[in-house]
Amino acid sequence: MTFFLGLGIAGIVLLALSLIFDGVLEGLFGGMVDGLFDGLLSLPVIAGFLSMLGFGGAIVLGATSAGTLVATVVGVAAGLAAGWLTWKLSKALMRDQTHATPRDSDLVGTSGSVVTAIPAEGYGEVLLSLGGQPVKYAARSAVPVARGTEIWVEEALSTTSVAVRPVER
């Protein structure tokens, strides 16, 4: 039982180390094994296999009167299942793509409303939508724009200010 518990603890330690040294096995030998097994020899997969082999075997030894051979077979089966699930989960997480980060230039051509009146050639404030979130920007306009007026963004002047014009209907 001590051997199996030692394997389980070694798997947990290896899993903790994989958080620090992620990708170390894939990078060994100048990247020769990179992509060879499609992530099957990654540290999290090996750690999952090792810990389930150890803890599965220890559970079988402690809970049944089965011998070491049965405990090893059950532990290997549990380890293979845990390793396979870890591999599939890590592949799914690696495929997960996020949307592009919104940039200030994405504001050009969008509409918004004035929250602080804009004097001619001066600054006021407008409320715009960037990435689906309302954001307040300093706004400059060639003509005076009253509070509550709908505006169009003509140019992103900086990360916090835009040039606008009132919408004409």
Side-chain angles (χ1 to χ4, degrees):
M1 168 127 23
T2 305
F3 176 72
F4 285 116
L5 288 176
L7 282 178
I9 292 169
I12 297 293
V13 169
L14 188 60
L15 183 60
L17 288 174
S18 74
L19 295 173
I20 300 167
F21 299 112
D22 186 35
V24 82
L25 287 180
E26 290 88 351
L28 286 178
F29 310 113
M32 288 179 3
V33 295
D34 190 28
L36 185 62
F37 297 110
D38 197 26
L40 207 55
L41 289 180
S42 66
L43 281 176
V45 171
I46 293 171
F49 171 78
L50 203 65
S51 61
M52 284 307 292
L53 166 65
F55 291 134
I59 289 170
V60 168
L61 277 180
T64 67
S65 61
T68 307
L69 180 64
V70 173
T72 303
V73 169
V74 170
V76 166
L80 287 173
W84 183 80
L85 286 173
T86 305
W87 176 57
K88 292 303 262 183
L89 179 64
S90 63
K91 281 183 65 161
L93 290 174
M94 293 301 240
R95 275 193 314 267
D96 188 28
Q97 300 293 318
T98 61
H99 295 287
T101 304
R103 303 192 183 278
D104 297 324
S105 60
D106 295 337
L107 291 171
V108 175
T110 61
S111 65
S113 61
V114 177
V115 292
T116 304
I118 306 170
E121 296 301 326
Y123 281 94
E125 292 179 322
V126 294
L127 189 62
L128 304 171
S129 178
L130 180 63
Q133 297 296 315
V135 182
K136 194 182 331 181
Y137 279 85
R140 186 177 178 110
S141 176
V143 297
V145 185
R147 181 174 187 250
T149 305
E150 185 178 0
I151 50 90
W152 285 98
V153 177
E154 292 182 318
E155 180 184 2
L157 301 173
S158 72
T159 57
T160 58
S161 65
V162 291
V164 299
R165 68 172 173 81
V167 173
E168 297 172 11
R169 294 192 188 238

